[in-house]
Amino acid sequence: MEVPRVDGLKLGKRIGFGGCGRVYQAKDGQGEDCVVKFFDENAISQGLLEKMTQRLEIGGWPEGVMPVISADFDGERPLWVTPMVADVKEGADPLPRSLQMNLTEHPGESSWKLVRDLARALAGMHARRVAHGNLKPGNVFLSENGEPLVSDWTMGNLPGAKNFIFTDAVLYQAPEQLRDAAGYLEEAGYRWDVFSFGVLAFRLLTGKFPRCHDAFNIVAPASGETRKDGIQADLSKIAKNLEAQTEVTWPDQALNLLEARFREWIDRCLTLDPVKRPATMLEVAAGFDSVETQGIVDAEREALMDQRRHADRRGWRAVFFAGAAAAVAMVFGGLWQLTNSQLSKERGERSNDSQLLRFAGDAALIAKGNAETQLAEARQALNYERELSLARLEASRLIGDRLFAWAMEKGNRNLPPLDGRELRLKRLERYFQDFLTRTADIEALADERARVRLQLSEVSLAAGDAPGASKRLGEALAAWAALPMDAELKFRMATNSLLLALLRQSNADPEAGSAFIAARKALEDVPAAEVDSDRLNQLLAILDFHEAKFLAASGENTKALEQLMRATQTLNRIADQRPDAAILRSELAACYLSSATILEGMGSLGDAREVRALASVELVKLLKDKPEDFTLRLDLAGCYGAMAESAMLSGDIAGAESISKEAMKLLDRLVVEQPDNVEAVSRKASQLGLRAGIQRDRGLAAEAMKDYDEGIRMLEAIRASAPGDAMATYRLALLWWQKGRMLGMGGKRSEEIALIRKAKDLLGQLETDPASSGPRPEQLQSSGAYLLGDLGHALQLAKQKMEAVQAFTDAVALWENLLQSRPRSEEYSEGLAWCRQRLEDLK
């Protein structure tokens, strides 16, 4: 089976499959291992899965739940991308670290801890209003530290799934779920999860199913296996068998009171009556916590009682010896008191003073120790908070940098909207907006809020939202105005300004001109010595190139050509230094082609032909790396075709024929590969017309007429299927005109006049309703002027004097208009003089 494709990921081989889809090993753009799961649309409820995934993601993934790196529910095949939780060895398939693969370790020393951790993970899901509904060992993965990660929620035996294939998940499901999966939509899924947790916990702690163990153990996959094929399950019968065994019996006695209390909670989870079960796993997790707390309290109370009993025994012994001492003291007391009363009084006073001093010293030492302990704890807490904050900030910056890389992934010319990543963009936008809301009053995070505003502007750029990107970029610049900016950050801001200008240009936005000016200022303000200077110069060249196209569209041909030449020189220099950078070659070829178009508009046909030759050289270099690239070959064929037409107009028939043959070789293959490609077919038809003209001048009338007819047939088919294609319509008018002239040479004057008039009407339609992708207005007017001259000449030969006068008069008017736009054009002057002479001859 062919490996599917996912933008931004390199997919490896399939490493698993189940009732809900197939799992593939993959690597992301940074070379990190991950997993892509393609879902079978008939085995899941796509809307339900998407909704519950979004609920879990908002606010950060709950502890113990497998995070979904990205998801796509709008593409051709719904999918998840999750981290790789497996042991990966060189040359071997990844070994998933799932609970199913490690069942032989339970019951064991870690079983109770795993049960409590699972309870907390499911409680985290229920807190987000998500019931799992598909709990089984194969859907619980273990991190490197042995912590559980719950995955594959809302799949399998749930409402919306058209095809259900047996999995061992049904062995853990409550009877009411087995009978009616639609209850999930009525929020019954929480109590289902409680029952499933009870079954899984019982099996982990005892190695057995709590009910129907003998039957279930036969159909359950063994440890180390993920599935058991060929099993047909009657869900209603399974439910009936479960209900036939009302009580659950543990195979041995609890080791202590604490374990007994934990077992009581698991017994509640396994209750067949859903009303008597805990309502959610939040209740179960809280119950487990209370058991642990009560166990600690009991242990502390028992320790205190032991201390009290020991103290009582010591007290009775002290009383006995105190009585004996009192009797002796009574005998000698009187004498001692008489002789030493004064001395005792003095010593007592000194002893009291000494004792007070000792107490004061001890108190001071204790206070000092407490203060030092509190200081150490405060420093430790502060260091922890600081490290945690730095880690979070670094993670936020990393997300922003990756987003920027995604936004630039296909080069700078078209600014793609991150194909297939609309959901990811929305999630990033929600994440950043939430960060701004939560930290609005924390002055210490001003720099991070400024960075987030920059990232939000990049989200808008990637989504193709020019107004939103402009507003957010302004907010980012304002936020950074009071903060220090290094060279890299300035470069990033400037690059975003350029992307905004390109986006506005692609949307035909009237603000594109001012956006280009702002982008140029931002790029020129970047200190070239502190950044990648080649990259900076490349962006400036790209700015020159695209701004030149904008200026040419506004009629500023001279300024546009000057900028294109500057961009071409820069790109040539960088391309020579970096011969492996294909994007540079592509931009360089585009510069040449745009320059040629402007030169033709200025009447410099020879220069245009030379520039196109340079463009063809760059395209040939690109084709060495991608010889089958359709677009590159089409661009090269267009270069050759335009060069052949220029050679024809300049009288170089041999050169035109040679170059046209190269164009036809490419176009013949392209049309076979993609017969519905309008541009390839249109260009081939144009070359057929050029070849027909060469054959006509050489006296090969039959061959010329055959090429004219073939070209016209192709273009008429395009016009019928795509009437809005202005360039194909223009080429069709030219072929009608050329065929008409040939018919006139053969004496078929009326047919010549009819075809030229037909071509004239078509050109008139294009002038009335010009298209942005069609010929330039000046090109239409010059073609119309030539055509009217030929029409007048044909009418004159047909003895239709009045119509001939009108045709030449119209041609004169067109040539005069053209001369006003370019007074020094020899071509326009000669065309006007010829038509005026013809008009004089008729008068």
Side-chain angles (χ1 to χ4, degrees), residues 62-89:
E63 185 178 357
V65 175
M66 177 77 77
V68 177
I69 298 171
S70 65
D72 186 359
F73 295 102
D74 301 322
E76 182 179 350
R77 299 178 67 181
L79 61 87
W80 268 0
V81 180
T82 62
M84 170 76 77
V85 184
D87 295 321
V88 181
K89 295 183 179 179

Side-chain angles (χ1 to χ4, degrees), residues 289-323:
D289 290 341
S290 68
V291 168
E292 286 185 291
T293 303
Q294 187 62 42
I296 295 170
V297 170
D298 289 346
E300 290 178 350
R301 183 169 62 245
E302 188 64 26
L304 289 172
M305 290 299 294
D306 287 343
Q307 291 176 10
R308 177 65 180 272
R309 286 190 287 269
H310 291 311
D312 288 344
R313 287 195 293 271
R314 287 195 302 270
W316 283 110
R317 287 196 296 268
V319 170
F320 173 78
F321 289 114

Side-chain angles (χ1 to χ4, degrees), residues 142-164:
L142 302 173
S143 70
E144 292 182 355
N145 297 326
E147 305 293 332
L149 290 172
V150 181
S151 182
D152 288 6
W153 49 84
T154 56
M155 300 180 195
N157 184 28
L158 287 177
K162 299 176 184 177
N163 294 337
F164 173 69

Side-chain angles (χ1 to χ4, degrees), residues 249-565:
T249 303
W250 292 82
D252 53 11
Q253 294 296 321
L255 296 176
N256 50 49
L257 180 60
L258 183 65
E259 183 175 347
R261 288 173 177 170
F262 277 126
R263 286 188 176 188
E264 288 176 5
W265 273 101
I266 295 175
D267 287 339
R268 293 183 201 178
C269 296
L270 292 170
T271 304
L272 291 172
D273 185 352
V275 177
K276 295 180 180 179
R277 278 183 228 139
T280 70
M281 284 303 299
L282 289 165
E283 185 177 345
V284 177
F288 277 4
D289 290 341
S290 68
V291 168
E292 286 185 291
T293 303
Q294 187 62 42
I296 295 170
V297 170
D298 289 346
E300 290 178 350
R301 183 169 62 245
E302 188 64 26
L304 289 172
M305 290 299 294
D306 287 343
Q307 291 176 10
R308 177 65 180 272
R309 286 190 287 269
H310 291 311
D312 288 344
R313 287 195 293 271
R314 287 195 302 270
W316 283 110
R317 287 196 296 268
V319 170
F320 173 78
F321 289 114
V328 175
M330 289 178 68
V331 176
F332 296 103
L335 294 174
W336 180 82
Q337 186 174 5
L338 289 174
T339 58
N340 294 298
S341 60
Q342 186 63 35
L343 181 60
S344 297
K345 181 179 179 181
E346 186 177 349
R347 287 177 177 174
E349 290 174 355
R350 298 294 180 268
S351 176
N352 288 337
D353 292 342
S354 176
Q355 189 174 9
L356 288 172
L357 288 172
R358 284 198 303 271
F359 286 159
D362 291 343
L365 289 173
I366 292 171
K368 179 183 178 183
N370 289 338
E372 290 177 347
T373 302
Q374 291 175 359
L375 179 61
E377 291 176 350
R379 284 176 176 170
Q380 184 178 4
L382 183 62
N383 287 335
Y384 172 76
E385 290 295 333
R386 181 174 177 274
E387 291 173 2
L388 181 62
S389 299
L390 289 174
R392 286 174 175 169
L393 294 180
E394 188 60 32
S396 173
R397 288 171 177 168
L398 181 59
I399 291 173
D401 292 340
R402 287 179 178 174
L403 170 64
F404 183 65
W406 292 331
M408 298 286 285
E409 67 180 355
K410 290 188 179 177
N412 304 293
R413 286 185 292 168
N414 301 320
L415 190 64
L418 293 182
D419 302 336
R421 293 192 178 90
E422 288 80 4
L423 178 61
R424 179 181 293 175
L425 287 176
K426 292 175 184 176
R427 289 174 176 172
L428 284 168
E429 187 173 39
R430 286 199 303 269
Y431 171 80
F432 290 137
Q433 287 175 333
D434 181 59
F435 177 86
L436 290 177
T437 302
R438 287 186 289 106
T439 62
D441 300 326
I442 305 176
E443 187 62 30
L445 292 179
D447 58 338
E448 279 308 309
R449 285 200 301 277
R451 181 176 290 274
V452 164
R453 292 190 186 280
L454 176 59
Q455 290 166 329
L456 278 171
S457 71
E458 290 164 353
V459 169
S460 296
L461 282 170
D465 179 10
S470 179
K471 178 176 179 293
R472 286 175 169 174
L473 192 57
E475 292 173 349
L477 288 168
W480 279 104
L483 297 170
M485 288 176 55
D486 59 18
E488 288 296 334
L489 188 58
K490 288 182 179 179
F491 195 11
R492 181 172 175 176
M493 290 275 198
T495 304
N496 288 342
S497 297
L498 174 57
L499 289 172
L500 177 60
L502 299 182
L503 181 58
R504 287 192 180 280
Q505 182 188 38
S506 66
N507 294 341
D509 191 327
E511 298 294 325
S514 59
F516 277 121
I517 294 172
R520 184 177 298 281
K521 183 178 184 306
L523 286 169
E524 289 175 348
D525 288 344
V526 176
E530 300 177 33
V531 297
D532 183 347
S533 58
D534 281 345
R535 177 64 179 157
L536 178 61
N537 289 329
Q538 181 187 354
L539 292 183
L540 282 168
I542 290 167
L543 171 59
D544 283 336
F545 167 53
H546 287 278
E547 190 178 22
K549 292 173 66 177
F550 176 77
L551 292 170
S554 305
E556 300 183 50
N557 288 336
T558 303
K559 188 175 180 181
L561 186 61
E562 179 184 340
Q563 286 200 184
L564 276 172
M565 292 298 102

Side-chain angles (χ1 to χ4, degrees), residues 170-201:
V170 302
L171 306 179
Y172 299 84
Q173 291 175 358
E176 64 270 20
Q177 180 180 2
L178 295 170
R179 285 201 175 95
D180 182 16
Y184 184 92
L185 302 177
E186 303 297 327
E187 299 194 353
Y190 301 116
R191 294 183 191 270
W192 297 353
D193 281 357
V194 170
F195 185 89
S196 298
F197 167 76
V199 177
L200 182 54

Side-chain angles (χ1 to χ4, degrees), residues 8 18 48 93 100 113 173 217 220 271 321 334 338 355 409 421 480 489 557 575 597 634 695 703 707 717 734 745 836:
L48 183 63
D93 291 342
Q100 178 62 40
K113 181 182 183 303
Q173 291 175 358
N217 197 46
T271 304
F321 289 114
L338 289 174
Q355 189 174 9
E409 67 180 355
R421 293 192 178 90
W480 279 104
L489 188 58
N557 288 336
T597 302
L634 184 60
Q695 291 171 336
E703 291 83 349
D707 281 345
L734 297 184
M745 292 177 185
R836 279 177 175 170

